[in-house]
Amino acid sequence: MKREVAAKLEGMSADERSLLRPLVETSRGFYVVAGLLGAVTLWGLFAYYLQVRHGLGRTGLNRPEYWGIYIICFVFFIGISHAGTLISAILRVSKAEWRRSITRSAELITVLVIGFGAVQPIIDLGRPDRLFNVLFNAQLSSPLLWDVISIGLYFTASSIYLYIPAIPDFARIRDSGIKAPRLYTFLAAGYQDTPAQRARLHKAIGILSIAVIPIAISVHTVIGWIFAMTLRPMWHSTIFGPYFVIGAIHSGIAAILVAMVVLRRAYKLEDYFKPVHFDYLGRMLLVFSLLWFYFTFAEYLTVFYGAEPAEMRTFWAKVSGQYAIPFWSMVAGCFFIPFALMAPTSVNPIWEIEAQGRYVPSWIELSIMAATFSGFILLYMVATKFIPIVSIWEIEEGREESTEVAERVAGYLPDPYRKLLDFEAIGDE
Amino acid sequence: MTRWGMVIDLDRCTACGACELACKSENNIATVSPEQADMDRTMSWMKVQVEVEGEFPDTSLRFYPRPCMQCDNPPCIRVCPVEATYINDEGIVGQIYPRCIGCRYCANACPYTVKYFNWYGPEWPDSERQHLNPDVSVRPKGVIEKCTFCHHRLQKAREDARAEKRELREEDYQPACAEICPTGAIVFGDLDNPTHRVAELKEDPRATRLLEDLGTEPKVYYLASRQ
Amino acid sequence: MSQTRREFVWTMGAASAAVALQGVTDGVFWAPEELPEMGWQPGIEKQITSTCMICPARCGIRGRVVDGRLVRITGNRLHPMSRGGLCPRGIAGVQTLYHPQRIAAPMMRTGPRGSGQWQEVPREEAIARVSARLGELRASGRPENLALLAGYCAGTMRDLWHQFMQAFGSPNFVADEYADGTDAIMHLMHGMRRRPGYDLERSDLVLSFGAPLFESWWSPLQAFVAFADPEHSDRRRPHFVQVDTRFSRTAARSHEWVAVRPGTHAVLALGIAYVLIRDELYDRQFVTENVAGFEDFIDEQGQLRAGYRSRVVSNYRTEEVSAITGVPVERIASLAQAFAQGRQPLAVCGEDVTRAPNGLLAGMAVHSLNVLMGSVNRPGTVLFGEEPPLEPLAETVLDSTARAGVQRTPIAGGLPLFGAGSPEVPFAERVAASGEDTVEALLLYYANPLASSVHPDVWRDALGKIPFVVSFSPFLDETTRHADIVLPDLLPYERWQDGPAPLSYPYPVWSVARPLVEPHEGGTHTAEALFAIAKNLGGSVAQSLPHQAFELVLKARARGLYAAKRGTLFGSEFEREHHRQMEQRGWWLQTHADFEAFWEGLVERGGWTDLYYDDADPAHLSAMPDGKVHLLPAALLDALQLDERRPYIDIAAPASTEEDGYPLQLIPYRLSTLASGTLSLERWLAERPTPFPEVYWHPWVEVNPVTAEELGLHHDGRAWMVSPHGRYEVRIQVFPGTAPGAVTAPYGLRHPDGSLANPLQLLDDSADPLTGLQSWFSTHVRLQLA
Ligand SMILES: Nc1nc2c(c(=O)[nH]1)N[C@H]1C(S)=C(S)[C@@H](COP(=O)(O)OP(=O)(O)OC[C@H]3O[C@@H](n4cnc5c(=O)[nH]c(N)nc54)[C@H](O)[C@@H]3O)O[C@H]1N2
Ligand SMILES: Nc1nc2c(c(=O)[nH]1)N[C@H]1C(S)=C(S)[C@@H](COP(=O)(O)OP(=O)(O)OC[C@H]3O[C@@H](n4cnc5c(=O)[nH]c(N)nc54)[C@H](O)[C@@H]3O)O[C@H]1N2
Ligand code: SF4
Ligand code: SF4
Ligand code: SF4
Ligand code: SF4
Ligand code: SF4
Ligand SMILES: [Mo]
């Protein structure tokens, strides 16, 4: 770190100092990890090159197991993208004060992860060179196109939703001059923190956080529908829309928790990610895992009682057959949500005479999956070097507003004095 | 309205497999290597499916020659993002190979698993390229293919009929599998034309369709008395 | 306006991006994909009628030829036997024609035998070398030292080869062609040395003893059409009952399957005969009038001999038969009743019945059911069809060298008494055991013994002893690789040839194959090579084969058909039926103005047939001096006095030859998709040789779930199949249709690398001493995990 920058940091408030430090100070460990992740990512790119060159034959897919790891990753990444935008929006709308230090890191996950999710179906294409046919020959009855639209919308909305609340922080960096002045001048878009601007900012955030909720829900509903709109055993289910949304939020919360643990360690943010945050998020996680379990149970119980042969073949493949291990690890971990949903299902054709599929991902697929993870983590790491990972102004605002909040909270409750007065009044009578 | 359809009489079928081969030859269907075959990547638009039941010596085998069911309400076409699979006015469900992006969504949507994907490009030894049927394009890698009711034969038959200034007759348009079947188990024609044999056969009390309750309205009927 | 322009710009932008992306990916990303160019310009298209020469069935085909390339083989609807249908093998013929392993030109060996070092030579030179070498043999008075090993080539090709060998002066024409022993049975019982024809289509009950009717029978197409004809005529379809040790596809498709223990088909037949006799269900009138040997009789020595009736009645009570065959008593009785109730009941004797140590006796037992029911020589039963009345070939001229040569004993030795087996094995054994000059030159036509013989090792030794080997094979098969000169034949789609229908089809059929495409430059029609060699040899050989074009030879032979004033060219169902009825009433209509028109029509329609069969002609029933069918032929009884076996009594399966460590009985069977199969397969067939089981590319065997469980074998797992005589690797298919304790193994398959996987090469040496036919069902093997 240059001396002058260090000096500038010294002159800042405690919040600014600890939250802006990562933008200007980079440890050795960061480079090592980034290098490793970069290598994995490059390896994955190479694997993809081979796949494009030779064909999807390089995967472990087959008939009837037409979809595999890529689509699993698609569902998974889009799922955890619910981390940020949706959760932060819900927290904002409900004015949960403890949100202040976690919204930024969560929103960042969303924006970055959507891209990684969205490329998965493209990686999965037999003819990536004809990708643009989706525009030229769009057939809107295809749930895949609903997906293109809802993901596109979600990505745009989430990006704006990340950007707008970050403007005051960008303005601060611009003003402090610790990093890339031109970039931050541009990003700050002339924000001077005048009361009028701030009011506008609040209004925009308010509108966005409401607008973004249905979009986010639509995204995962539509992903669920991709599967549900086919007649495949154990896909063709009305429950899939909400089931996927619940699963997504569930995995999203988990993703935030993981990110927080890492950030807290790496950037020494113990003061911002406090046990109470983990506690609250943990409670949410519990609620969603119960909901998830409820959906899963409802789904499997219905299948089991209906006992349609084709569905049962899938059912048993998951519960005790070929896919028992991923299935039960999913149930145990409630985390690898998509895998057990996907694989055994496309394994089993409805017509019982068709042979059942067997699918083992190839090294190409595993490499590309690894690269997706590493690429995402790498990008997230780099992003933390440009965006304060905890919203500085919101933290400050939180401090300023704490009395107001106390009043507001009190306003939710019956007035203790009034009760007393009433009592006195009665007594008077 | 013309609705092309097929009736397969399982009481006549001897599971000889001639229909499979005729289809492969007519439609330039490629083979895959032994390693690929071990991964379940073989292609057979028409496939004689076999079901074994019972124990020695009370065993039974049931055979179902299985082309594309050419559903009247095909779940495969709605899900295609680029309309590369479609149903035409006469009920034939076709594929547009140059447009297909290879997402395999249609393959997942088809309840009969009749769609085949070109995991690699087709391999034809040089000498064997000579026997490729010039009426049917060879599919490149990365696209989906399936039985088309030998649609190219219809186009040809139409042209011929027009050139001869006459109506299209039942025997003018017969797909390769129906044409070759040694026992006449496969009958093909217009389901809505009372003069065609299929129109009558589909009303046979033995007639069923596969997974009828899905509402896909297959245009391939099976006749089976021995259940 | 501006909006549309903006749209336009957008679209163009996106489109050019797409094109650019495609350009980049095409060059850099996509491995260059060479899609064959499909013809855009309307090609010149022809449909040409011909005949499938792949297996003995000789079905009618139509070739679709576009711009001189054969793109499709379909069936010829006018063909009386195949009626427009084909088996998968016939359809895959386009891949035989354009097989990548086809030999490009005549070749001469340059390195040591089998080293694969060849030099291409002009056709004339190859022919000259062969002629010179053969000429030496004749000049030095050793013509008998030329041998010919020929596979199935019934028809004019076989006649020409015969003529050539005769005129040359060699008795060593070794035919290795589809011997099944039924001709020996007919010879003994009817006095006619010819295989029986089966009028399946008109029968109402077909009781098949192991004959793979719907798979690899003489003519599967004949059986298919009988099962259900493609014309959907109103004819009543026969009821098919299949007696088989395994649940074959024929068994699965028949109306009933009767599972019997290996080697006990004939015992079941006699159990049925027992019920027919006991309940007096048999055709008494027919037996009394036309059959000898039914009742006890006094032989020439004045001894009382037990007749058929006493032999059966005292040995084949249903309880005993049931114990031997494993078929319940009631089932035996009901089979007998059904057989008796049939109006045209027909028992078909499978080749597999005769391929047993007592095959001849077993085959007679099966055929005796037809005799009991009078199911001989009437519609829907066993018929003895005639050969088509072809013009004979020119007389063979024998000079003194030739006359001396043909008098010598053939190397294979005299055939066994009722010889039906192929002399291929004894021939190889003697050559291998003898000195260098037993056989000085060997010609190979349609034969690949190194791959197909039960004793390839003996053949290898034999070939080592023969200084000059010529192969006419169009493919570099195992044996051809050991040849000195290869003069590759044309493929059937490029040449003229005639194909008489197999005798299982009871009506004479003469099909003609004609070229569908231009002949391959490097290929030579073997007949024409033979004519050239004969010309070079000069003398009586040249006089006997004074031909040039094979087409003209065929045309000359067709004159016999034209002159016969019977039969008709292939035609529609209506034409066929019309013709049959006319002939039945003694009419025959001249349909062609002259022979030229007749020949043209014949080639156009694919062939000639005569569907009228005169069942009133007693010559069709028996050629014995007494005109009767013999259930206990004297010749056989004489022969058996030494042998100590008794017809109809000693036919039960021999005590198991199970050896220590080989617990499973091997039951080889032939796949319908394979011709003798020593040819490296067509890709479509190699990939998926059969609809069932679902195996791709790899040789397999089938075992019962119980056996698999006991041996710890898994479905699709690998194992070695081992017998005391050899082993090869297989994939296990668990299949309930195979009896516990047995292994059913298809033959004709190869491993993906082209190496052999032939269960026949695991067989033991047992054979029927009466016919010389090898036994295919007495070997035991074990399966061990690979
Ligand atoms: N498509 C096609 N057809 C052909 C040929 C061809 O190349 N291609 N080749 C022809 C030739 S050369 C031949 S030799 C024939 C071969 O025809 P077959 O000799 O009839 O041979 P497989 O088809 O092997 O039939 C053998 C049957 O015998 C049964 N069997 C098993 N064990 C026993 C036993 O202990 N005793 C008896 N009696 N039977 C048993 C088996 O279940 C099996 O079904 O096919 C002819 N037909
Ligand atoms: N692996 C295996 N072995 C077998 C059998 C089997 O099915 N599989 N079957 C057994 C039986 S029943 C029999 S009868 C024998 C038969 O065995 P073979 O008499 O040896 O007959 P094939 O194997 O049919 O063919 C021999 C060769 O003929 C050549 N050939 C093919 N087409 C042509 C042509 O157009 N012209 C000429 N001149 N040659 C041609 C091919 O190179 C082929 O290798 O084999 C026995 N052994
Ligand atoms: S060709 Fe006909 S008989 Fe043969 S398998 Fe196909 S449908 Fe069955
Ligand atoms: S694989 Fe091709 S045809 Fe099928 S849905 Fe995708 S683009 Fe459409
Ligand atoms: S069978 Fe499958 S591919 Fe064919 S039309 Fe129906 S859904 Fe589509
Ligand atoms: S209709 Fe044509 S494309 Fe379809 S299975 Fe039959 S031959 Fe093949
Ligand atoms: S049965 Fe024989 S002759 Fe007939 S098509 Fe098949 S291989 Fe050719
Ligand atoms: Mo044979």
Side-chain angles (χ1 to χ4, degrees):
Chain A
M1 199 191 330
K2 285 196 201 121
R3 186 161 303 160
E4 43 188 305
V5 175
K8 279 180 188 161
L9 264 192
E10 281 313 302
M12 291 182 179
S13 73
D15 282 339
E16 284 177 331
R17 222 181 303 140
S18 40
L19 294 176
L20 290 179
R21 185 179 297 273
L23 270 65
V24 290
E25 189 185 73
T26 304
S27 66
R28 275 260 301 288
F30 183 97
Y31 286 115
V32 171
V33 174
L36 281 175
L37 291 173
V40 174
T41 312
L42 284 177
W43 175 251
L45 281 173
F46 172 66
Y48 181 60
Y49 165 76
L50 289 182
Q51 176 183 308
V52 174
R53 193 174 159 80
H54 299 132
L56 273 184
R58 297 298 298 257
T59 64
L61 299 168
N62 54 39
R63 193 189 74 98
E65 185 68 89
Y66 298 104
W67 283 345
I69 285 245
Y70 302 140
I71 301 295
I72 294 172
C73 283
F74 170 58
V75 178
F76 177 77
F77 280 99
I78 300 291
I80 62 172
S81 77
H82 284 60
T85 308
L86 184 61
I87 292 162
S88 105
I90 293 173
L91 294 180
R92 273 191 218 273
V93 170
S94 61
K95 298 215 170 12
E97 282 305 317
W98 58 276
R99 70 165 197 273
R100 289 182 185 275
S101 55
I102 63 175
T103 48
R104 174 71 49 77
S105 57
E107 286 154 14
L108 195 56
I109 293 184
T110 300
V111 173
L112 296 183
V113 102
I114 288 181
F116 283 89
V119 294
Q120 298 298 323
I122 299 176
I123 294 176
D124 189 59
L125 288 187
R127 302 294 306 205
D129 56 322
R130 297 183 184 162
L131 178 61
F132 289 100
N133 285 4
V134 175
L135 302 179
F136 302 146
N137 304 98
Q139 168 168 269
L140 280 178
S141 65
S142 169
L144 263 187
L145 275 183
W146 309 345
D147 223 69
V148 170
I149 295 169
S150 69
I151 291 181
L153 212 61
Y154 187 46
F155 180 69
T156 319
S158 310
S159 308
I160 301 174
Y161 186 66
L162 169 71
Y163 175 63
I164 304 247
I167 290 177
D169 285 353
F170 290 144
R172 237 172 245 251
I173 303 172
R174 173 197 63 196
D175 297 342
S176 69
I178 52 170
K179 192 167 181 155
R182 267 205 235 137
L183 175 69
Y184 285 99
T185 312
F186 173 75
L187 286 175
Y191 185 80
Q192 296 296 348
D193 208 14
T194 62
Q197 278 177 330
R198 195 174 265 237
R200 238 183 290 148
L201 182 78
H202 274 295
K203 200 163 178 194
I205 295 176
I207 293 171
L208 273 173
S209 39
I210 287 172
V212 104
I213 293 175
I215 299 181
I217 289 180
S218 84
V219 170
H220 233 72
T221 308
V222 167
I223 290 190
W225 284 349
I226 290 189
F227 304 101
M229 298 301 154
T230 70
L231 290 168
R232 292 251 150 175
M234 292 197 75
W235 279 6
H236 189 50
S237 157
T238 47
I239 212 174
F240 258 40
Y243 188 18
F244 269 56
V245 172
I246 296 300
I249 300 178
H250 178 50
S251 61
I253 298 171
I256 302 180
L257 279 167
V258 173
M260 278 165 53
V261 170
V262 177
L263 289 170
R264 186 171 125 116
R265 273 282 172 77
Y267 295 143
K268 306 201 173 50
L269 298 179
E270 290 83 354
D271 291 344
Y272 298 88
F273 299 144
K274 292 189 165 173
V276 62
H277 293 114
F278 289 96
D279 185 32
Y280 285 179
L281 277 176
R283 283 162 199 246
M284 279 178 78
L285 191 68
L286 183 67
V287 169
F288 277 95
S289 76
L290 289 174
L291 273 173
W292 179 86
F293 183 77
Y294 163 72
F295 271 102
T296 311
F297 184 73
E299 165 88 351
Y300 284 75
L301 191 70
T302 322
V303 166
F304 184 72
Y305 267 78
E308 280 184 39
E311 303 245 318
M312 286 314 280
R313 286 203 298 159
T314 306
F315 180 88
W316 290 119
K318 291 207 239 179
V319 173
S320 62
Q322 207 187 350
Y323 292 89
I325 294 174
F327 176 77
W328 288 109
S329 28
M330 165 185 89
V331 174
C334 279
F335 192 64
F336 298 114
I337 288 172
F339 187 73
L341 274 181
M342 274 289 313
T345 327
S346 58
V347 162
N348 292 343
I350 308 178
W351 192 28
E352 71 277 8
I353 291 182
E354 273 283 353
Q356 301 204 10
R358 21 183 195 180
Y359 167 59
V360 182
S362 72
W363 71 263
I364 297 257
E365 284 169 283
L366 294 176
S367 305
I368 293 179
M369 179 174 81
T372 314
F373 276 92
S374 63
F376 160 64
I377 298 170
L378 182 63
L379 210 63
Y380 195 81
M381 282 169 66
V382 172
T384 60
K385 295 285 151 199
F386 290 90
I387 307 179
I389 201 62
V390 173
S391 179
I392 306 173
W393 71 272
E394 283 185 90
I395 295 281
E396 287 180 351
E397 189 185 64
R399 289 221 168 79
E400 284 161 19
E401 284 181 2
S402 53
T403 43
E404 183 207 311
V405 170
E407 277 166 24
R408 195 177 78 223
V409 172
Y412 301 154
L413 307 167
D415 190 334
Y417 304 106
R418 213 186 73 194
K419 245 187 202 164
L420 202 62
L421 281 177
D422 284 351
F423 188 70
E424 277 172 8
I426 293 163
D428 269 318
E429 266 169 355
Chain B
M1 265 296 279
T2 309
R3 269 171 67 246
W4 298 109
M6 189 180 270
V7 178
I8 303 179
D9 188 340
L10 300 178
D11 296 339
R12 288 178 165 264
C13 171
T14 61
C16 68
C19 45
E20 273 187 25
L21 241 290
C23 180
K24 289 186 185 190
S25 181
E26 178 73 17
N27 292 296
N28 299 333
I29 297 173
T31 52
V32 302
S33 70
E35 297 73 40
Q36 292 293 297
D38 278 346
M39 295 180 74
D40 298 335
R41 288 172 175 179
T42 50
M43 295 192 267
S44 203
W45 293 3
M46 170 61 97
K47 188 166 173 223
V48 181
Q49 299 276 17
V50 180
E51 187 182 34
V52 190
E53 276 168 0
E55 273 165 34
F56 192 91
D58 300 308
T59 339
S60 73
L61 282 181
R62 284 197 285 163
F63 307 104
Y64 299 85
R66 185 241 50 203
C68 163
M69 297 297 128
Q70 302 284 347
C71 309
D72 253 353
N73 179 18
C76 61
I77 66 166
R78 269 178 312 228
V79 299
C80 176
V82 296
E83 233 180 322
T85 172
Y86 62 92
I87 181 164
N88 74 8
D89 298 345
E90 301 185 338
I92 293 180
V93 179
Q95 294 285 141
I96 307 174
Y97 309 122
R99 190 190 282 176
C100 173
I101 59 172
C103 64
R104 310 182 300 294
Y105 196 177
C106 55
N108 272 327
C110 167
Y112 306 95
T113 357
V114 306
K115 296 218 163 189
Y116 292 87
F117 187 69
N118 286 274
W119 300 100
Y120 288 117
E123 280 172 39
W124 295 100
D126 278 344
S127 63
E128 283 183 14
R129 292 176 180 214
Q130 299 186 68
H131 71 61
L132 294 177
N133 181 356
D135 301 339
V136 178
S137 53
V138 169
R139 279 74 60 191
K141 79 172 163 197
V143 305
I144 279 280
E145 59 180 68
K146 67 158 190 79
C147 155
T148 61
F149 264 0
C150 293
H151 191 221
H152 57 283
R153 288 195 167 199
L154 175 59
Q155 290 161 352
K156 245 190 167 168
R158 282 246 157 78
E159 278 165 29
D160 290 351
R162 212 172 291 136
E164 290 166 30
K165 298 204 168 46
R166 57 171 173 78
E167 291 281 297
L168 192 70
R169 295 172 306 216
E170 183 180 3
E171 63 271 24
D172 289 339
Y173 171 34
Q174 288 294 318
C177 53
E179 177 189 62
I180 207 71
C181 176
T183 53
I186 306 181
V187 181
F188 184 85
D190 177 359
L191 295 170
D192 286 353
N193 184 334
T195 67
H196 285 202
R197 286 175 303 162
V198 284
E200 183 191 332
L201 285 172
K202 76 170 201 292
E203 307 300 338
D204 190 298
R206 293 179 297 148
T208 52
R209 291 181 291 175
L210 291 182
L211 305 176
E212 214 156 7
D213 52 338
L214 294 181
T216 50
E217 300 292 327
K219 285 195 290 295
V220 175
Y221 291 76
Y222 289 92
L223 305 182
S225 57
R226 291 192 287 170
Q227 274 301 318
Chain C
M1 201 64 234
S2 73
Q3 196 163 1
T4 48
R5 179 183 301 162
R6 187 181 310 149
E7 265 177 24
F8 175 76
V9 171
W10 253 105
T11 323
M12 287 312 289
S16 46
V19 169
L21 181 65
Q22 180 133 29
V24 170
T25 53
D26 268 356
V28 182
F29 268 157
W30 296 115
E33 204 181 346
E34 285 168 37
L35 283 189
E37 263 186 48
M38 304 311 295
W40 288 102
Q41 66 278 63
I44 298 173
E45 187 171 330
K46 283 184 276 189
Q47 292 276 353
I48 305 174
T49 306
S50 185
T51 302
C52 177
M53 303 299 280
I54 286 175
C55 90
R58 304 304 196 220
C59 300
I61 59 171
R62 305 257 294 155
R64 177 173 176 228
V65 179
V66 180
D67 291 335
R69 297 177 293 124
L70 178 64
V71 301
R72 204 57 181 88
I73 297 173
T74 56
N76 175 9
R77 288 182 187 281
L78 305 183
H79 194 283
M81 186 200 69
S82 63
R83 316 247 177 109
L86 292 180
C87 83
R89 189 77 164 83
I91 303 164
V94 292
Q95 291 193 333
T96 316
L97 176 60
Y98 298 116
H99 202 290
Q101 280 161 29
R102 207 170 156 183
I103 298 173
M107 304 190 302
M108 232 174 64
R109 180 170 62 82
T110 53
R113 281 242 174 110
S115 66
Q117 288 165 332
W118 300 96
Q119 185 197 334
E120 291 191 2
V121 291
R123 171 181 306 138
E124 291 68 30
E125 190 187 329
I127 289 177
R129 279 172 187 270
V130 176
S131 313
R133 199 66 187 251
L134 300 194
E136 282 169 28
L137 285 185
R138 260 177 79 78
S140 54
R142 301 191 310 277
E144 68 278 9
N145 285 3
L146 169 70
L148 164 68
L149 179 68
Y152 189 87
C153 55
T156 302
M157 253 338 272
R158 194 184 198 284
D159 299 345
L160 278 175
W161 273 117
H162 187 72
Q163 218 179 9
F164 177 82
M165 293 301 281
Q166 289 281 308
F168 190 87
S170 170
N172 289 310
F173 181 150
V174 185
D176 178 20
E177 48 177 9
Y178 303 5
D180 74 346
T182 49
D183 51 348
I185 294 165
M186 298 305 137
H187 185 56
L188 280 170
M189 297 175 75
H190 296 261
M192 290 182 273
R193 186 173 268 289
R194 68 156 52 138
R195 290 193 300 269
Y198 296 108
D199 196 3
L200 298 180
E201 204 177 340
R202 278 155 219 259
S203 168
D204 61 348
L205 180 90
V206 178
L207 179 59
S208 152
F209 287 87
L213 296 176
F214 302 145
E215 292 153 274
S216 64
W217 197 50
W218 289 102
S219 172
L221 265 291
Q222 180 193 344
F224 289 155
V225 170
F227 184 73
D229 65 315
E231 283 127 357
H232 287 240
S233 66
D234 301 330
R235 165 179 72 83
R236 240 191 87 209
R237 290 158 50 189
H239 187 76
F240 282 82
V241 181
Q242 180 75 6
V243 179
D244 222 327
T245 51
R246 70 186 176 102
F247 194 48
S248 64
R249 213 185 74 225
T250 308
R253 254 1 231 155
S254 294
H255 302 95
E256 288 176 47
W257 170 42
V258 184
V260 288
R261 300 215 175 94
T264 65
H265 296 66
V267 175
L268 178 66
L270 292 176
I272 294 172
Y274 170 84
V275 179
L276 293 179
I277 295 171
R278 183 193 65 192
D279 300 352
E280 307 232 340
L281 297 169
Y282 66 98
D283 186 339
R284 303 252 293 281
Q285 190 191 349
F286 180 84
V287 170
T288 324
E289 288 172 9
N290 298 303
V291 178
F294 183 74
E295 305 290 354
D296 300 348
F297 61 98
I298 299 185
D299 68 6
E300 282 152 12
Q301 282 83 34
Q303 272 183 320
L304 182 70
R305 291 275 189 112
Y308 176 89
R309 179 213 287 270
S310 354
R311 289 172 193 240
V312 170
V313 169
S314 51
N315 292 288
Y316 294 99
R317 274 187 299 270
T318 41
E319 295 74 24
E320 289 157 16
V321 170
S322 174
I324 298 172
T325 58
V327 181
V329 173
E330 313 79 62
R331 189 89 194 266
I332 301 172
S334 69
L335 282 171
Q337 264 135 24
F339 199 69
Q341 275 156 19
R343 269 168 298 139
Q344 291 97 3
L346 176 56
V348 180
C349 171
E351 194 165 10
D352 38 303
V353 172
T354 53
R355 285 214 174 259
N358 48 24
L360 184 72
L361 303 182
M364 285 176 60
V366 170
H367 184 56
S368 73
L369 287 182
N370 290 321
V371 178
L372 284 186
M373 294 312 301
S375 284
V376 189
N377 203 29
R378 58 189 178 94
T381 66
V382 174
L383 306 180
F384 293 98
E386 288 169 26
E387 308 269 348
L390 294 174
E391 190 77 24
L393 286 172
E395 188 102 16
T396 314
V397 187
L398 299 185
D399 60 12
S400 56
T401 323
R403 223 170 287 128
V406 292
Q407 298 299 322
R408 303 275 157 83
T409 14
I411 296 168
L415 283 173
L417 199 48
F418 305 107
S422 139
E424 165 258 321
V425 174
F427 174 83
E429 278 168 354
R430 296 209 183 130
V431 175
S434 66
E436 287 278 319
D437 52 1
T438 321
V439 174
E440 289 177 82
L442 174 70
L443 309 179
L444 293 164
Y445 180 64
Y446 259 108
N448 180 14
L450 285 189
S452 60
S453 174
V454 180
H455 291 298
D457 40 334
V458 177
W459 263 103
R460 194 155 298 132
D461 294 346
L463 286 175
K465 295 275 169 64
I466 304 175
F468 187 61
V469 177
V470 181
S471 169
F472 293 96
S473 173
F475 301 101
L476 207 51
D477 60 35
E478 281 81 352
T479 320
T480 303
R481 271 179 234 148
H482 281 76
D484 301 288
I485 290 190
V486 187
L487 238 172
D489 197 357
L490 297 176
L491 283 178
Y493 311 103
E494 302 166 321
R495 66 180 191 228
W496 287 91
Q497 195 168 346
D498 57 344
L503 286 172
S504 67
Y505 191 69
Y507 307 98
V509 175
W510 195 65
S511 304
V512 171
R514 69 164 149 163
L516 303 174
V517 295
E518 282 295 304
H520 188 268
E521 301 153 31
T524 312
H525 193 318
T526 301
E528 285 159 19
L530 202 59
F531 300 154
I533 294 170
K535 195 170 159 210
N536 290 347
L537 289 172
S540 64
V541 188
Q543 280 170 330
S544 303
L545 291 111
H547 317 289
Q548 288 215 311
F550 192 59
E551 179 191 352
L552 298 181
V553 179
L554 294 183
K555 189 170 168 185
R557 300 207 79 182
R559 283 186 187 274
L561 304 176
Y562 182 67
K565 302 230 177 298
R566 47 177 274 217
T568 175
L569 300 184
F570 291 175
S572 65
E573 192 191 8
F574 173 78
E575 288 171 301
R576 283 197 297 269
E577 204 40 49
H578 175 73
H579 186 84
R580 188 206 296 267
Q581 296 192 4
M582 296 285 279
E583 254 190 87
Q584 203 161 9
R585 301 190 177 101
W587 294 56
W588 184 82
L589 284 183
Q590 182 84 25
T591 42
H592 294 87
D594 58 7
F595 174 71
E596 289 301 325
F598 174 80
W599 172 247
E600 209 169 286
L602 189 150
V603 170
E604 189 88 338
R605 290 168 165 249
W608 175 96
T609 185
D610 184 359
L611 294 178
Y612 170 64
Y613 178 89
D614 183 5
D615 52 33
D617 182 354
H620 279 148
L621 181 65
S622 171
M624 293 292 197
D626 59 0
K628 293 198 170 182
V629 184
H630 286 233
L631 283 171
L632 287 166
L636 182 71
L637 292 178
D638 288 348
L640 289 181
Q641 275 177 336
L642 305 171
D643 199 299
E644 293 186 344
R645 286 191 292 170
R646 292 159 300 168
Y648 307 110
I649 297 181
D650 299 317
I651 55 163
S656 169
T657 53
E658 183 178 338
E659 288 173 54
D660 268 355
Y662 300 97
L664 303 169
Q665 165 141 37
L666 173 63
I667 300 181
Y669 71 96
R670 183 190 294 273
L671 282 177
S672 55
T673 44
L674 305 174
S676 284
T678 59
L679 195 89
S680 182
L681 282 169
E682 287 64 30
R683 293 163 71 83
W684 282 321
L685 295 175
E687 181 184 72
R688 180 160 149 89
T690 173
F692 184 81
E694 190 155 351
V695 195
Y696 298 90
W697 292 103
H698 297 277
W700 74 92
V701 297
E702 294 142 24
V703 292
N704 190 276
V706 178
T707 315
E709 173 98 63
E710 274 167 17
L711 299 175
L713 299 167
H714 297 287
H715 192 74
D716 274 339
R718 286 154 205 239
W720 288 95
M721 182 157 76
V722 190
S723 89
H725 306 271
R727 65 170 206 169
Y728 65 93
E729 203 188 315
V730 294
R731 296 247 170 136
I732 300 294
Q733 293 294 305
V734 176
F735 176 48
T738 296
V743 191
T744 45
Y747 53 88
L749 294 170
R750 279 167 187 270
H751 292 286
D753 67 2
S755 60
L756 283 167
N758 192 351
L760 300 183
Q761 296 179 353
L762 267 48
L763 296 183
D764 61 20
D765 281 333
S766 49
D768 183 349
L770 294 171
T771 57
L773 271 189
Q774 270 140 356
S775 161
W776 285 4
F777 306 104
S778 48
T779 303
H780 281 71
V781 296
R782 72 163 174 264
L783 290 170
Q784 67 197 37
L785 287 173

